[in-house]
Each structure stands twice: as structure tokens, then as C-alpha cells.
Amino acid sequence: MLICTSSEFRKVFKKLPKYVRDKAKEKEIIFRNNPFDIRLNTHKLHGKYQDYWAFTVVKQYRIMFVFAGSNVIDFVDIGTHKIYK
């Protein structure tokens, strides 16, 4: 599985607290093995983000992503629920 990251994702990721960055790296490993692992709480988004999915990193932090093709995932954004606005 190829995971691509948007420039927005990379910019925001660098500014996150270290514990969130560390947890995101742990969750990415789980995601690579199974994007729908129960530990991720992967869910489809609605409304203007109906083509996107998200999974939980820690507490209120989420990674928003899209299935971009066969074995290609784009991580679009990371953050609190504010990423949905």
C-alpha cells in the first residue's frame, strides 16, 4: 500500500505535539496492515467530505484520507474536528 501525504498534511503534522505525532506513526502501521482495524475507528465522512474517510489517532485527533486508487491512499489532513470545517 502506498500512502501519499498532501502538503497541508505535512505542514500541520510538523506542528502537532510530539505525543500526537508519535501516536500517528503507530496508527499508520496499523492502518497499513488493515485500514479498517477496530483500533482505528475508521469511518466514512458525510456532507461536503462524502468522498473522504477518517480514523482516530488519539483523543480528538483524526487523519482524513481518501482511497485514491488500487493500493494508493492519500492522507489529506490531520487534526481535531476542525479539519472538517
Side-chain angles (χ1 to χ4, degrees):
M1 171 186 307
L2 175 64
I3 296 178
C4 302
T5 56
S6 70
S7 59
E8 178 68 18
F9 180 93
R10 292 187 299 273
K11 182 175 90 175
V12 173
F13 185 84
K14 290 178 186 177
K15 295 178 182 178
L16 293 172
K18 183 178 180 340
Y19 82 95
V20 177
R21 292 192 315 263
D22 291 344
K23 189 55 96 168
K25 291 173 187 175
E26 289 175 24
K27 295 289 180 105
E28 180 186 342
I29 293 168
I30 296 168
F31 183 87
R32 283 182 180 277
N33 290 320
N34 178 4
F36 295 99
D37 188 297
I38 194 164
R39 294 172 286 180
L40 298 174
N41 189 28
T42 303
H43 54 283
K44 183 113 171 84
L45 301 178
H46 303 283
K48 68 181 181 179
Y49 295 112
Q50 66 186 3
D51 295 332
Y52 296 88
W53 295 74
F55 67 87
T56 303
V57 173
V58 62
K59 298 181 185 174
Q60 75 272 22
Y61 286 90
R62 309 281 185 272
I63 290 179
M64 184 189 305
F65 68 94
V66 64
F67 291 100
S70 178
N71 282 334
V72 179
I73 307 289
D74 287 336
F75 281 4
V76 178
D77 205 351
I78 183 170
T80 64
H81 281 100
K82 292 178 184 177
I83 65 174
Y84 303 137
K85 296 182 180 191

